[in-house]
Amino acid sequence: MAIVGATGAVGVEMIGCLEQRRFPLAELRLLASARSAGKTLEFRGEPLTVRELTESSFAGVDLALFSAGSSVSKKFAPIAARAGATVIDNSSAFRMDPEVPLVVPEINPQALRGHRGIIANPNCTAIISITPLWPVHQANRIVRLLIASYQSASGAGAAAMEELREATRAYLEGRPYEQRVLPHPYAFNVFSHNARVDPASGYNEEEIKVREETRKIFGDPELRVSATCIRVPVLRAHSVAINFECQRPISPEEVRRLVAGAPGVKLVDDRERNYFPMPRDASGGDPILVGRIRQDVSDPSGRSIALFVAGDQLLKGAALNAVQIAEIL
Ligand code: A2P
């Protein structure tokens, strides 16, 4: 097995997931850029040396997990597949390719059948938003989905997490800080997601990914989706405020029952204590936390529900989902 981008924020979590879940493997090959060649990372108590990713990195590899950005995936995923490896790619490079399965194991594991060597791991905000909604969609089709995300630094990589720490320290000490990774001051601030904005529609690429990937994973091209994606100064878990409209009337009790039984999801919905999903509670854990489940009173037909979720972007939003796909394979 190989991990491409093993030194990155997601890559390190992939190593952790393989170890924690006792993934059956004979050898783990850690690959990154030339900058990291020779570094060591620990796996199952042993130091493993990181190697530079090259065209000959994949000889003898059965499974390759990629998380080194789209351009690396575009170039090296086909090379890995030609060398006989099955690629699970965490970048957006192949997600909307009709021949590439885009998989959340709790939702559409059947899409893995007949893959052609490359499988795409979905966008983190899409995974965290829609995994809890799948049982609802099956019971009473969701026809419209509105989401507003509160996205952490980790989605922009290890360097963005470090920028949040440094910018916060500088702010508290009254020092100037010039941001290098994200386009706006990050400490004690909130800003529109750093993805490129489509000038015609006004939606940014993150919002478009959430819409298109949700439709592909649910197998429902008619689903109406509108997303507003925002960066917040949180290190590693995304939160999302969700409103959805079903085909038929639906009660919060029914949604609570469906969500409580959903795999990969944990209900955190304590109105008395005002205790609901928080990124701090989601960080470092596998389940997506779901709460604030209530009737959306702006829809008098009784078909709409509002809720709030939080999930670890690096785990279920990326590394864990990829390793779960590997387990199915
Ligand atoms: P490196 O640490 O050597 O730069 P993150 O998402 O946290 O920014 O991590 C990105 C990951 O992708 C890192 O492991 C990084 O390695 C790796 N990476 C970036 N560019 C390349 C490249 N051109 N070839 C191989 N790995 C790369």
Side-chain angles (χ1 to χ4, degrees), residues 4-10 31-36 39 53 67-69 72 156-159:
V4 177
T7 51
V10 173
L31 304 165
S33 77
R35 293 179 292 272
S36 301
K39 268 191 195 168
L53 171 67
S67 192
V72 171

Side-chain angles (χ1 to χ4, degrees), residues 107-281:
I107 300 177
N108 62 339
Q110 75 287 349
L112 289 170
R113 253 181 259 133
H115 72 80
R116 299 181 178 195
I118 300 179
I119 293 149
N121 208 39
N123 170 275
C124 45
T125 301
I127 297 176
I128 289 165
S129 303
I130 71 176
T131 303
L133 301 185
W134 178 241
V136 178
H137 189 65
Q138 285 173 296
N140 185 348
R141 195 175 144 234
I142 295 172
V143 294
R144 183 172 184 227
L145 179 59
L146 304 176
I147 81 155
S149 72
Y150 304 70
Q151 296 187 217
S152 62
S154 57
M161 295 171 81
E162 194 45 36
E163 178 152 288
L164 175 55
R165 289 192 192 94
E166 280 178 22
T168 305
R169 240 176 259 129
Y171 186 98
L172 290 173
E173 290 167 8
R175 285 186 281 114
Y177 178 84
E178 205 174 312
Q179 63 273 357
R180 293 181 295 268
V181 184
L182 289 166
H184 304 293
Y186 205 0
F188 303 96
N189 194 21
V190 157
F191 53 87
S192 188
H193 191 282
N194 44 295
R196 199 186 66 87
V197 179
D198 169 34
S201 67
Y203 282 92
N204 63 45
E205 280 172 3
E206 183 81 354
E207 293 160 352
I208 294 167
K209 283 177 193 173
V210 170
R211 181 180 70 217
E212 297 305 322
E213 293 183 25
T214 297
R215 289 171 167 171
K216 181 169 174 175
I217 298 161
F218 274 14
D220 189 349
E222 306 293 311
L223 179 58
R224 288 175 282 143
V225 183
S226 178
T228 301
C229 290
I230 303 291
R231 276 270 180 232
V232 295
V234 164
L235 275 174
R236 60 176 284 166
H238 289 354
S239 306
V240 191
I242 300 174
N243 290 62
F244 61 85
E245 179 188 331
C246 291
Q247 215 155 30
R248 291 171 279 108
I250 188 161
S251 69
E253 292 69 35
E254 191 179 354
V255 172
R256 202 168 287 120
R257 187 180 53 77
L258 290 165
V259 165
V265 170
K266 187 176 164 207
L267 207 56
V268 179
D269 201 22
D270 188 339
R271 290 180 180 180
E272 243 164 64
R273 288 171 59 226
N274 195 350
Y275 206 106
F276 298 113
M278 288 188 274
R280 271 188 72 127
D281 287 349

